[in-house]
Amino acid sequence: MILVTGSAGFIGANFVLDWLAEHDEPVVSLDKLTYAGNLENLTSLNGDPRHLFVRGDIGDAGLVGELLAQHRPRAVINFAAESHVDRSIRGPEDFIQTNIVGTFHLLEAVRAYWSGLADGEKTGLRFLHVSTDEVYGSLAKGDPAFSETHRYEPNSPYSASKAASDHLVRAYHHTYGLPVLTTNCSNNYGPYHFPEKLIPLMIVNALAGKPLPVYGDGQQIRDWLYVKDHCAAIRCVLEKGRLGEVYNIGGWNEKANLEIVHTICALLDELAPNPLRPQSSVLITYVQDRPGHDRRYAIDARKIERELGWKPAETFESGIRKTVQWYLDNREWVRNVQSGAYRQWVEKNYAGRA
Ligand code: NAD
Ligand code: DAU
């Protein structure tokens, strides 16, 4: 069995759902259920004997130790994190606590468990740490994409905290021999994406006839990957990755934010036409930029393709169409995540930007 942390969030939930669709190997899910954690993402597993959900903090080494001792997983996959750059700018402390201190306690608990395993089991254990391309900083137009040897230059409290966690994971391998793997992935999109991030925010705002807030000139570039491709890449690294290695994961899909927003508008106009507003793009509104906004990310994903044979299955065109359709088909999910706390965040983040 495997232990998955952060499993009620966007990528963690997709990972658990896809895992159990493909394997019968059970999953223990550990999630603190912060504002970003949503048990509704895992509703389809209710009553499934292969899945056990535990509410808890990766920083609670006692709880993690008990879970490890009781369930004896062959792998720990760490998705748990504070993940939103804008929130890290407004309030970095939770990012330091979970992404750095939490990862440290998780590593300690896994190290203690691993040290007590018999030799055969010891070599089989895996700690897979899910990280981000943002640790590499920002690229200028024409710069080569981030490879695994690109130096770390994190620019936001979020990316700095993820960079610190990557360094801890690396150190636990180098110093103690803990069998770790690290993945650094580009921007994901797809089902269950919390609508504080660009793509789902634009979809839900456009459907509600609300402004589509584009930061600065909208020419910042991200490399977009459909979430199910990311999950497949993680499964591949887990099975075939070389211990202590880092694998960059990306979609070969560099797009400017404004282009993304126009694509979403065109898809909504086609799939959910509104006679009162034939063009959703009239809602596009330029707002004050994000402080320290990284201009461009691009991932060089050749290592994982060359060594492990993974490459993305979805094109951006097919993935974004599926994503928009998912939001149209899951309006109740959207209504339920837009709680009072969500509305307060939207008010706080966008009020001063107009
Ligand atoms: P998310 O914010 O949607 O989900 C994070 C989950 O972690 C939530 O369910 C939350 O409740 C849980 N969590 C937070 N603090 C916790 C703690 N202390 N203990 C246990 N659980 C806790 O994030 P996501 O977009 O699904 O990202 C998952 C991971 O992938 C993160 O580590 C992120 O850095 C990384 N990542 C994300 C992207 C992306 O585009 N979203 C890209 C590359 C890497
Ligand atoms: O690159 C991987 C990272 O991608 C992950 O590590 C992060 O967890 C994930 O949140 C994401 O970070 P970004 O900051 O790139 O994602 P976000 O969706 O917040 O923003 C994408 C781009 O869109 C970015 O350039 C900022 C811009 N943006 C965002 C919002 C929320 C806007 O123009 N308007 C908005 O309202």
Side-chain angles (χ1 to χ4, degrees), residues 236 240 303-311:
C236 181
K240 297 193 263 180
K303 177 177 172 183
I304 186 171
E305 181 172 351
R306 190 177 59 243
E307 291 190 10
L308 310 184
W310 174 87
K311 58 181 180 187

Side-chain angles (χ1 to χ4, degrees), residues 248-268:
N248 282 358
I249 304 171
W252 302 105
N253 249 319
E254 285 187 59
K255 303 238 179 262
N257 293 340
L258 195 57
E259 186 186 341
I260 298 282
V261 179
H262 276 290
T263 302
I264 291 168
C265 288
L267 278 168
L268 285 172

Side-chain angles (χ1 to χ4, degrees), residues 5-12 30-38 56-59 78-84 98-99 102 130-133 158 162 184-189 192-194 196-197 224 230:
T5 73
S7 48
F10 164 47
I11 309 175
L30 175 67
D31 197 294
K32 188 178 172 183
L33 295 182
T34 68
Y35 78 92
N38 182 1
D57 192 325
I58 55 165
N78 182 30
F79 291 95
E82 289 292 336
S83 71
H84 188 32
T98 283
N99 300 359
V130 179
S131 191
T132 169
D133 59 359
Y158 163 68
K162 289 296 291 187
N184 292 86
C185 188
S186 62
N187 285 62
N188 285 215
Y189 67 98
Y192 305 108
H193 205 180
F194 191 71
E196 63 181 356
K197 307 279 175 73
W224 293 94
H230 186 189

Side-chain angles (χ1 to χ4, degrees), residues 75-79 126-130 179-183 233-235 237-238:
V76 176
I77 299 142
N78 182 30
F79 291 95
R126 295 289 178 272
F127 180 91
L128 193 153
H129 181 60
V130 179
V180 308
L181 298 154
T182 299
T183 56
I234 291 171
R235 293 194 299 273
V237 172
L238 187 62

Side-chain angles (χ1 to χ4, degrees), residues 83 132-134 158 187 198 213 215 222 257 290 293 350:
S83 71
T132 169
D133 59 359
E134 299 201 12
Y158 163 68
N187 285 62
L198 179 76
Y215 294 169
R222 299 290 182 267
N257 293 340
R290 172 185 279 175
H293 200 168
Y350 295 97

